[in-house]
Amino acid sequence: MRRLFLALTLILAALPLRAQTVLNIYNWADYIDPAAVERFTRETGIRVRYDVYDTLETLEGKLSAGRSGYDIVVPTSEPSFKRLLRAGALRPLDVARIPNARGLDPALMRRVAEVDPGNRHGVIYLWGTVGLGLNPERIRALWPEAPLDSLDLLMNPENIRRIARCGVAMMDSAVDVLPSVLRHLGRNPDSTDSADLEAAQRALLAIRPHLRSIPSPPALIEALANGEICAAFTYSGDVIQAAARAREAQRPFTVQYAVPREGAQLWFDMLAIPADAPNPDAAHAFIDFILRPDVMAGITRQVRFANAVPESRPLLPEAVRNDPSVFPPPEVIERSFIAGTPAQAGERARARLWARFRAGR
């Protein structure tokens, strides 16, 4: 009886501490199933404080300053995740506390192991490609022969001029735009050579007068969904979200995603724990929870980005699991490329190029 009383006392003493635990998450906007967060709190008693950012530069700035207060962050494998690894800003994962990591696609995890040997510091959250968001009806009304499956639609000044009246945008992300521009020009996507960067700058400045905006991804989603723009260069899942919002609002047009036939940039967003995370135990519990097939299926269903948990796919609606925009077929992945992370001097040169492009000079 004494032992039972002691056990109950220990359990009750632990409960308030667990209930007081707050997990601090820093993630992209509109990039989680809210029901998953609520379910995690219900099942564990751990409360969640959920903050969002709209650029990788914002995320990196927070973590580089130190003492961010966050327990979970979601950097893209190249370049943000790699840069944070270089800086010692990420904590190694205790994989023994993340048993659901065994369900991750080994082929995809090998791709990110090139950045994180042994997959010691992160697991794949969601992934996709960078390509074209299109309102085909409005584009065809201006130019019936428009090449809707090619980056040439936007990067050829004569082509973009033909469709500029219906609105064209390019997402405000140097790390996800410049590699595709360089590749389109026949250059190395990872190049920081001055001649290559000058060529990219000339190409971008040539189309700058025809761009309506260079918005953050959340603003770009809304612009596509509302019909403010008819073409954009952005993330696959953002276009799919815009298409869903346009349907829900019964807009008199469709929004479609197209992988450029020349090949698209492939990216992986990683679940990682900052080195100075205040609650690493709760962070490990959250990562393991997120990697459950049913939880991950709910996230993909909500945000329309591919996940790396194969057992989640049978749980998805047929329209989602068979959508090549969400889960690219093998031939698309084969043509895709992963951008590398330039050295610091090269990154500064790219940042200056992007600033000039945004300013239009």
Side-chain angles (χ1 to χ4, degrees):
M1 191 71 181
R2 180 180 173 80
R3 288 179 182 174
L4 178 60
F5 177 77
L6 180 60
L8 286 171
T9 301
L10 290 171
I11 291 170
L12 290 171
L15 282 175
L17 291 175
R18 190 169 179 80
Q20 290 168 14
T21 300
V22 177
L23 179 71
N24 302 284
I25 300 175
Y26 200 35
N27 195 0
W28 290 96
D30 299 316
Y31 207 44
I32 189 75
D33 178 11
V37 177
E38 293 168 7
R39 180 178 167 189
F40 175 75
T41 296
R42 253 193 341 265
E43 292 186 11
T44 65
I46 299 170
R47 293 186 294 115
V48 174
R49 180 169 68 88
Y50 197 96
D51 292 343
V52 301
Y53 54 87
D54 57 10
T55 70
L56 290 168
E57 290 79 4
T58 302
L59 166 65
E60 289 184 52
K62 282 270 191 181
L63 264 65
S64 298
R67 301 190 176 212
S68 68
Y70 291 110
D71 302 300
I72 295 281
V73 292
V74 192
T76 301
S77 60
E78 295 268 16
S80 296
F81 182 73
K82 187 170 183 176
R83 285 198 288 240
L84 292 169
L85 277 179
R86 280 181 188 166
L90 299 178
R91 179 191 186 100
L93 300 177
D94 183 352
V95 292
R97 297 158 73 186
I98 312 174
N100 286 318
R102 291 192 292 267
L104 286 160
D105 186 322
L108 295 179
M109 288 298 288
R110 280 195 295 272
R111 300 291 290 267
V112 296
E114 297 171 18
V115 174
D116 180 26
N119 299 120
R120 294 185 61 238
H121 296 83
V123 296
I124 298 172
Y125 175 53
L126 298 171
W127 62 280
T129 55
V130 181
L132 299 166
L134 305 167
N135 180 327
E137 295 93 344
R138 295 182 65 194
I139 295 172
R140 295 282 192 213
L142 295 173
W143 184 18
E145 296 80 28
L148 299 183
D149 63 345
S150 172
L151 189 53
D152 206 47
L153 176 71
L154 304 187
M155 290 309 303
N156 183 316
E158 182 59 27
N159 290 349
I160 192 173
R161 183 188 64 77
R162 292 183 178 190
I163 65 170
R165 270 193 296 149
C166 63
V168 182
M170 185 169 282
M171 68 173 164
D172 187 8
S173 176
V175 299
D176 289 314
V177 174
L178 283 176
S180 293
V181 172
L182 285 164
R183 195 169 195 257
H184 181 74
L185 296 172
R187 315 291 176 113
N188 180 350
D190 300 332
S191 178
T192 56
D193 178 80
S194 59
D196 291 339
L197 294 186
E198 286 170 11
Q201 180 174 298
R202 285 195 301 272
L204 286 167
L205 289 177
I207 68 168
R208 182 65 180 89
H210 306 296
L211 290 173
R212 182 167 296 178
S213 61
I214 307 173
S216 66
L220 195 150
I221 293 172
E222 283 303 310
L224 266 177
N226 295 334
E228 296 169 28
I229 57 175
C230 65
F233 189 65
T234 189
Y235 305 116
S236 53
D238 286 355
V239 179
I240 299 164
Q241 284 188 43
R245 293 183 192 183
R247 283 195 302 271
E248 290 165 8
Q250 298 183 332
R251 302 289 183 190
F253 54 78
T254 58
V255 175
Q256 298 176 359
Y257 178 72
V259 175
R261 61 172 178 255
E262 303 90 347
Q265 181 176 336
L266 191 65
W267 53 265
F268 299 93
D269 280 344
M270 310 295 293
L271 289 168
I273 303 176
D276 58 357
N279 297 301
D281 292 342
H284 280 87
F286 184 79
I287 291 173
D288 190 58
F289 170 83
I290 286 295
L291 294 181
R292 291 186 199 171
D294 61 322
V295 175
M296 200 48 99
I299 292 170
T300 291
R301 191 163 49 242
Q302 175 76 20
V303 304
R304 301 303 176 98
F305 280 92
N307 69 65
V309 180
E311 288 185 17
S312 74
R313 290 188 66 169
L315 307 177
L316 291 168
E318 185 177 356
V320 176
R321 68 172 179 265
N322 294 332
D323 186 344
S325 299
V326 180
F327 291 99
E331 61 270 20
V332 169
I333 296 177
E334 186 66 29
R335 291 200 309 274
S336 299
F337 69 97
I338 299 177
T341 302
Q344 203 167 52
E347 289 179 346
R348 287 196 293 268
R350 287 183 169 210
R352 289 193 296 270
L353 183 163
W354 193 254
R356 287 192 291 269
F357 164 60
R358 293 189 72 219
R361 62 176 193 276

